[in-house]
Amino acid sequence: MAKWGQGDPRWIVEERADGTNVNNWHWTERDATSWSRSKLQEVLVGLVVEGEAGRCEICELKQVEGEASCSSRKGRLIFFYEWNLRLSWKGTVKESGEKHKGSIEIPNLSEENEVDDTEINVSKKKGEGDILKELMRTEGTTKVREALRDYLKALKTEFTLGMILPTKAAGQELAAERELSGNTVQESASPHLLDLVGVKIPTVRILMREIFNSPADELYSIFTTKELIQKFSKCPAVIEAEKGGKLLMFDGCVSGEYTELVPGQRLVLKWRCRNWPDEHYATVVLNFKDMAAETELQVECKGVPVSTEDSTRQWWKKQYFEEIHNLLQQSKDNMD
């Protein structure tokens, strides 16, 4: 047993009047069931499978039985999930134009099995059309497994955003390890650097680049116009696109304010995730580089808590970049 004052600082709560469970070091648990139901619906429904036989589409998630949760203990995340799923699919035979329906059952999606080993059963209603059943059994099963991997990846990144935040000591250890190893993680040749902000929260700077099929002015407006933000985020938002104006997105998961606005060229935001420490904000700088019909978006996120680095990067890629690409494509399709 450690002597008084010599224990791991993450266990020491006597200096806090409220005895708070600092950075969720002790056992904490979050229920992921409701979030998982929505995410499974999102990744599975609408999947399209096409081949020589015809075209099929998963049209409904008819049964979602089970639960999911994430626990943290001593800075480690522990996941539990167990699902019994039943999906409906419909399809059209390429040569005859005949339409058929069927179902897909996934009786045991759980942390005990790898996705590749998870049982997936495909069936079809009586009648002709076995050729479509075979299409769903082969290529369809492959796509369903990819969607299940997307769900699990989101569970371990998007859902857990901010659950574990290391202490000053942990951050200093990480900084020392990186300095000694001499390794610098890079993305698209952009350096990924470690900063220590204040005395409590070790942070990193994340640099990303993305090309959008849109003029700079149009892309800039997607980050400053309430209606467009609500379209790509698929959630109500509070947007006051002026210096000092409020920013609230993704059902309150992201908040902040606009601190600098140069139309069509540059945005600077105070930006935070709901599960970050109170009053801790990253500084997000968006530079819009006009390239004729395209725009290169340069993103710098400075002051991101170390433990949320990967999940924050995934959040920007999934919730911002991919959804904005989808919005721009929808706008183009509507014009065509």
Side-chain angles (χ1 to χ4, degrees), residues 147-182:
L148 295 178
R149 289 190 192 96
D150 288 342
Y151 156 66
L152 295 178
K153 184 176 182 179
L155 176 65
K156 296 175 181 179
T157 55
E158 179 184 325
F159 178 77
T160 60
L161 196 62
M163 280 192 72
I164 301 294
L165 294 170
T167 62
K168 175 187 176 184
Q172 289 172 335
E173 290 171 6
L174 177 60
E177 288 174 4
R178 291 189 180 183
E179 185 176 349
L180 288 172
S181 68

CSV table of all heavy atoms in Angstrom, one decimal, residues 147-182:
chain,number,residue,atom,x,y,z
A,147,ALA,N,-20.8,-2.9,-42.5
A,147,ALA,CA,-21.7,-2.0,-41.8
A,147,ALA,C,-21.5,-2.2,-40.3
A,147,ALA,O,-21.5,-1.3,-39.5
A,147,ALA,CB,-23.1,-2.1,-42.2
A,148,LEU,N,-21.5,-3.5,-39.9
A,148,LEU,CA,-21.3,-3.8,-38.4
A,148,LEU,C,-20.0,-3.3,-37.9
A,148,LEU,O,-19.9,-2.9,-36.8
A,148,LEU,CB,-21.4,-5.3,-38.2
A,148,LEU,CG,-22.8,-6.0,-38.6
A,148,LEU,CD1,-22.8,-7.5,-38.4
A,148,LEU,CD2,-23.9,-5.3,-37.7
A,149,ARG,N,-18.9,-3.4,-38.8
A,149,ARG,CA,-17.6,-2.9,-38.4
A,149,ARG,C,-17.7,-1.4,-38.2
A,149,ARG,O,-17.1,-0.8,-37.3
A,149,ARG,CB,-16.6,-3.2,-39.4
A,149,ARG,CG,-16.2,-4.7,-39.4
A,149,ARG,CD,-15.0,-5.0,-40.3
A,149,ARG,NE,-14.8,-6.4,-40.6
A,149,ARG,CZ,-15.2,-7.0,-41.6
A,149,ARG,NH1,-15.9,-6.3,-42.6
A,149,ARG,NH2,-15.0,-8.3,-41.8
A,150,ASP,N,-18.5,-0.7,-39.0
A,150,ASP,CA,-18.6,0.7,-38.9
A,150,ASP,C,-19.3,1.1,-37.6
A,150,ASP,O,-19.0,2.1,-36.9
A,150,ASP,CB,-19.5,1.3,-40.1
A,150,ASP,CG,-18.7,1.3,-41.4
A,150,ASP,OD1,-17.4,1.2,-41.3
A,150,ASP,OD2,-19.3,1.4,-42.4
A,151,TYR,N,-20.3,0.3,-37.2
A,151,TYR,CA,-21.0,0.5,-35.9
A,151,TYR,C,-20.0,0.4,-34.8
A,151,TYR,O,-20.0,1.2,-33.9
A,151,TYR,CB,-22.2,-0.5,-35.8
A,151,TYR,CG,-22.5,-0.7,-34.3
A,151,TYR,CD1,-23.1,0.3,-33.5
A,151,TYR,CD2,-22.3,-2.0,-33.7
A,151,TYR,CE1,-23.4,0.0,-32.2
A,151,TYR,CE2,-22.6,-2.2,-32.4
A,151,TYR,CZ,-23.2,-1.2,-31.7
A,151,TYR,OH,-23.5,-1.5,-30.3
A,152,LEU,N,-19.2,-0.7,-34.8
A,152,LEU,CA,-18.3,-1.0,-33.7
A,152,LEU,C,-17.2,0.1,-33.6
A,152,LEU,O,-16.8,0.5,-32.5
A,152,LEU,CB,-17.7,-2.4,-33.8
A,152,LEU,CG,-18.7,-3.5,-33.7
A,152,LEU,CD1,-18.0,-4.9,-33.9
A,152,LEU,CD2,-19.3,-3.5,-32.3
A,153,LYS,N,-16.8,0.6,-34.8
A,153,LYS,CA,-15.8,1.6,-34.8
A,153,LYS,C,-16.3,2.9,-34.2
A,153,LYS,O,-15.7,3.6,-33.4
A,153,LYS,CB,-15.3,1.9,-36.2
A,153,LYS,CG,-14.2,2.9,-36.4
A,153,LYS,CD,-13.7,3.0,-37.8
A,153,LYS,CE,-12.6,4.0,-37.9
A,153,LYS,NZ,-12.1,4.1,-39.3
A,154,ALA,N,-17.6,3.2,-34.5
A,154,ALA,CA,-18.2,4.4,-34.0
A,154,ALA,C,-18.4,4.3,-32.5
A,154,ALA,O,-18.3,5.2,-31.7
A,154,ALA,CB,-19.5,4.7,-34.7
A,155,LEU,N,-18.8,3.1,-32.0
A,155,LEU,CA,-19.0,2.8,-30.6
A,155,LEU,C,-17.7,3.1,-29.8
A,155,LEU,O,-17.8,3.7,-28.7
A,155,LEU,CB,-19.4,1.4,-30.4
A,155,LEU,CG,-19.6,0.9,-28.9
A,155,LEU,CD1,-20.7,1.6,-28.3
A,155,LEU,CD2,-19.8,-0.6,-28.9
A,156,LYS,N,-16.6,2.7,-30.4
A,156,LYS,CA,-15.3,2.9,-29.7
A,156,LYS,C,-14.7,4.2,-29.9
A,156,LYS,O,-13.6,4.5,-29.3
A,156,LYS,CB,-14.4,1.8,-30.2
A,156,LYS,CG,-14.9,0.4,-29.8
A,156,LYS,CD,-14.0,-0.7,-30.3
A,156,LYS,CE,-14.6,-2.1,-29.9
A,156,LYS,NZ,-13.8,-3.2,-30.5
A,157,THR,N,-15.2,5.1,-30.8
A,157,THR,CA,-14.6,6.4,-31.0
A,157,THR,C,-15.7,7.5,-30.8
A,157,THR,O,-15.6,8.3,-29.8
A,157,THR,CB,-14.1,6.5,-32.5
A,157,THR,OG1,-15.1,6.2,-33.4
A,157,THR,CG2,-12.9,5.6,-32.7
A,158,GLU,N,-16.7,7.5,-31.6
A,158,GLU,CA,-17.7,8.6,-31.5
A,158,GLU,C,-18.4,8.6,-30.2
A,158,GLU,O,-18.6,9.6,-29.5
A,158,GLU,CB,-18.7,8.4,-32.7
A,158,GLU,CG,-19.8,9.4,-32.7
A,158,GLU,CD,-20.8,9.1,-33.8
A,158,GLU,OE1,-20.4,8.6,-34.9
A,158,GLU,OE2,-22.0,9.3,-33.6
A,159,PHE,N,-18.9,7.4,-29.7
A,159,PHE,CA,-19.7,7.3,-28.5
A,159,PHE,C,-18.8,7.6,-27.3
A,159,PHE,O,-19.3,8.2,-26.3
A,159,PHE,CB,-20.3,5.9,-28.3
A,159,PHE,CG,-21.1,5.8,-27.0
A,159,PHE,CD1,-22.3,6.4,-26.9
A,159,PHE,CD2,-20.5,5.1,-26.0
A,159,PHE,CE1,-23.1,6.2,-25.7
A,159,PHE,CE2,-21.2,5.0,-24.8
A,159,PHE,CZ,-22.5,5.5,-24.6
A,160,THR,N,-17.5,7.2,-27.3
A,160,THR,CA,-16.7,7.4,-26.1
A,160,THR,C,-15.9,8.7,-26.0
A,160,THR,O,-15.1,8.9,-25.2
A,160,THR,CB,-15.6,6.2,-26.1
A,160,THR,OG1,-14.8,6.3,-27.3
A,160,THR,CG2,-16.3,4.9,-26.0
A,161,LEU,N,-16.3,9.6,-27.0
A,161,LEU,CA,-15.5,10.9,-27.0
A,161,LEU,C,-15.5,11.5,-25.7
A,161,LEU,O,-16.5,11.9,-25.1
A,161,LEU,CB,-16.2,11.8,-28.0
A,161,LEU,CG,-15.4,13.0,-28.5
A,161,LEU,CD1,-14.2,12.5,-29.3
A,161,LEU,CD2,-16.3,13.8,-29.5
A,162,GLY,N,-14.3,11.7,-25.1
A,162,GLY,CA,-14.1,12.4,-23.9
A,162,GLY,C,-14.3,11.6,-22.6
A,162,GLY,O,-14.2,12.2,-21.5
A,163,MET,N,-14.4,10.3,-22.7
A,163,MET,CA,-14.7,9.5,-21.5
A,163,MET,C,-13.4,9.4,-20.6
A,163,MET,O,-13.5,9.4,-19.4
A,163,MET,CB,-15.1,8.1,-21.8
A,163,MET,CG,-16.6,8.0,-22.2
A,163,MET,SD,-17.2,6.3,-22.2
A,163,MET,CE,-17.2,5.8,-20.5
A,164,ILE,N,-12.2,9.3,-21.3
A,164,ILE,CA,-11.0,9.1,-20.5
A,164,ILE,C,-10.1,10.3,-20.8
A,164,ILE,O,-9.8,10.6,-21.9
A,164,ILE,CB,-10.2,7.9,-20.9
A,164,ILE,CG1,-11.1,6.6,-20.6
A,164,ILE,CG2,-8.9,7.8,-20.1
A,164,ILE,CD1,-11.4,6.4,-19.2
A,165,LEU,N,-9.8,11.1,-19.7
A,165,LEU,CA,-8.9,12.2,-19.9
A,165,LEU,C,-7.7,12.0,-18.9
A,165,LEU,O,-7.9,12.0,-17.7
A,165,LEU,CB,-9.6,13.5,-19.5
A,165,LEU,CG,-10.7,13.9,-20.5
A,165,LEU,CD1,-11.5,15.0,-20.0
A,165,LEU,CD2,-10.1,14.2,-21.9
A,166,PRO,N,-6.5,11.9,-19.4
A,166,PRO,CA,-5.3,11.6,-18.5
A,166,PRO,C,-5.0,12.8,-17.7
A,166,PRO,O,-5.3,13.9,-18.0
A,166,PRO,CB,-4.2,11.2,-19.5
A,166,PRO,CG,-4.6,11.9,-20.7
A,166,PRO,CD,-6.1,11.9,-20.8
A,167,THR,N,-4.2,12.6,-16.6
A,167,THR,CA,-3.8,13.6,-15.7
A,167,THR,C,-2.6,14.3,-16.2
A,167,THR,O,-2.0,13.9,-17.2
A,167,THR,CB,-3.5,13.0,-14.3
A,167,THR,OG1,-2.4,12.1,-14.5
A,167,THR,CG2,-4.7,12.3,-13.7
A,168,LYS,N,-2.1,15.3,-15.5
A,168,LYS,CA,-0.9,16.0,-15.9
A,168,LYS,C,0.3,15.0,-15.9
A,168,LYS,O,1.1,15.0,-16.8
A,168,LYS,CB,-0.6,17.1,-14.8
A,168,LYS,CG,0.7,17.8,-15.1
A,168,LYS,CD,1.0,18.8,-13.9
A,168,LYS,CE,2.3,19.5,-14.1
A,168,LYS,NZ,2.6,20.3,-12.9
A,169,ALA,N,0.4,14.2,-14.9
A,169,ALA,CA,1.5,13.2,-14.8
A,169,ALA,C,1.5,12.3,-16.0
A,169,ALA,O,2.5,12.0,-16.7
A,169,ALA,CB,1.4,12.4,-13.5
A,170,ALA,N,0.3,11.8,-16.4
A,170,ALA,CA,0.2,10.9,-17.5
A,170,ALA,C,0.6,11.6,-18.8
A,170,ALA,O,1.2,11.0,-19.7
A,170,ALA,CB,-1.3,10.4,-17.7
A,171,GLY,N,0.2,12.9,-18.9
A,171,GLY,CA,0.5,13.6,-20.1
A,171,GLY,C,2.0,13.9,-20.2
A,171,GLY,O,2.6,13.8,-21.3
A,172,GLN,N,2.7,14.2,-19.1
A,172,GLN,CA,4.1,14.4,-19.1
A,172,GLN,C,4.8,13.1,-19.5
A,172,GLN,O,5.8,13.1,-20.2
A,172,GLN,CB,4.5,14.9,-17.7
A,172,GLN,CG,4.1,16.3,-17.5
A,172,GLN,CD,4.3,16.8,-16.0
A,172,GLN,OE1,4.4,15.9,-15.1
A,172,GLN,NE2,4.5,18.1,-15.8
A,173,GLU,N,4.3,12.0,-19.0
A,173,GLU,CA,4.9,10.7,-19.4
A,173,GLU,C,4.8,10.5,-20.9
A,173,GLU,O,5.8,10.0,-21.5
A,173,GLU,CB,4.3,9.5,-18.6
A,173,GLU,CG,4.6,9.5,-17.1
A,173,GLU,CD,3.7,8.5,-16.4
A,173,GLU,OE1,3.0,7.8,-17.1
A,173,GLU,OE2,3.7,8.5,-15.2
A,174,LEU,N,3.7,10.8,-21.4
A,174,LEU,CA,3.4,10.6,-22.9
A,174,LEU,C,4.4,11.5,-23.7
A,174,LEU,O,5.0,11.1,-24.7
A,174,LEU,CB,2.0,10.9,-23.2
A,174,LEU,CG,1.6,10.8,-24.7
A,174,LEU,CD1,1.9,9.4,-25.2
A,174,LEU,CD2,0.2,11.2,-24.9
A,175,ALA,N,4.5,12.8,-23.2
A,175,ALA,CA,5.4,13.7,-23.9
A,175,ALA,C,6.8,13.2,-23.9
A,175,ALA,O,7.6,13.3,-24.8
A,175,ALA,CB,5.3,15.1,-23.2
A,176,ALA,N,7.3,12.7,-22.7
A,176,ALA,CA,8.6,12.2,-22.6
A,176,ALA,C,8.9,11.0,-23.5
A,176,ALA,O,9.9,10.9,-24.1
A,176,ALA,CB,8.9,11.8,-21.1
A,177,GLU,N,7.9,10.1,-23.6
A,177,GLU,CA,8.0,8.9,-24.4
A,177,GLU,C,8.2,9.3,-25.9
A,177,GLU,O,9.0,8.8,-26.6
A,177,GLU,CB,6.8,8.0,-24.3
A,177,GLU,CG,6.7,7.3,-22.9
A,177,GLU,CD,5.5,6.5,-22.7
A,177,GLU,OE1,4.7,6.5,-23.7
A,177,GLU,OE2,5.3,5.9,-21.7
A,178,ARG,N,7.4,10.3,-26.3
A,178,ARG,CA,7.4,10.8,-27.7
A,178,ARG,C,8.8,11.4,-28.0
A,178,ARG,O,9.4,11.3,-29.0
A,178,ARG,CB,6.3,11.7,-28.0
A,178,ARG,CG,4.9,11.0,-28.0
A,178,ARG,CD,3.9,12.0,-28.5
A,178,ARG,NE,2.6,11.3,-28.5
A,178,ARG,CZ,1.4,11.9,-29.0
A,178,ARG,NH1,1.5,13.1,-29.4
A,178,ARG,NH2,0.3,11.2,-28.9
A,179,GLU,N,9.3,12.2,-27.0
A,179,GLU,CA,10.5,12.9,-27.2
A,179,GLU,C,11.7,11.9,-27.3
A,179,GLU,O,12.6,12.0,-28.1
A,179,GLU,CB,10.8,13.9,-26.0
A,179,GLU,CG,12.0,14.7,-26.2
A,179,GLU,CD,12.2,15.7,-25.1
A,179,GLU,OE1,11.2,15.9,-24.3
A,179,GLU,OE2,13.2,16.3,-25.0
A,180,LEU,N,11.6,10.9,-26.4
A,180,LEU,CA,12.7,9.9,-26.4
A,180,LEU,C,12.7,9.0,-27.7
A,180,LEU,O,13.7,8.7,-28.3
A,180,LEU,CB,12.6,9.0,-25.2
A,180,LEU,CG,12.9,9.6,-23.9
A,180,LEU,CD1,12.6,8.7,-22.7
A,180,LEU,CD2,14.4,10.0,-23.8
A,181,SER,N,11.5,8.7,-28.1
A,181,SER,CA,11.4,7.8,-29.3
A,181,SER,C,11.7,8.6,-30.6
A,181,SER,O,12.1,8.0,-31.6
A,181,SER,CB,9.9,7.2,-29.4
A,181,SER,OG,9.0,8.3,-29.7
A,182,GLY,N,11.5,9.9,-30.6
A,182,GLY,CA,11.7,10.7,-31.8
A,182,GLY,C,10.7,10.5,-32.9
A,182,GLY,O,10.9,10.9,-34.0
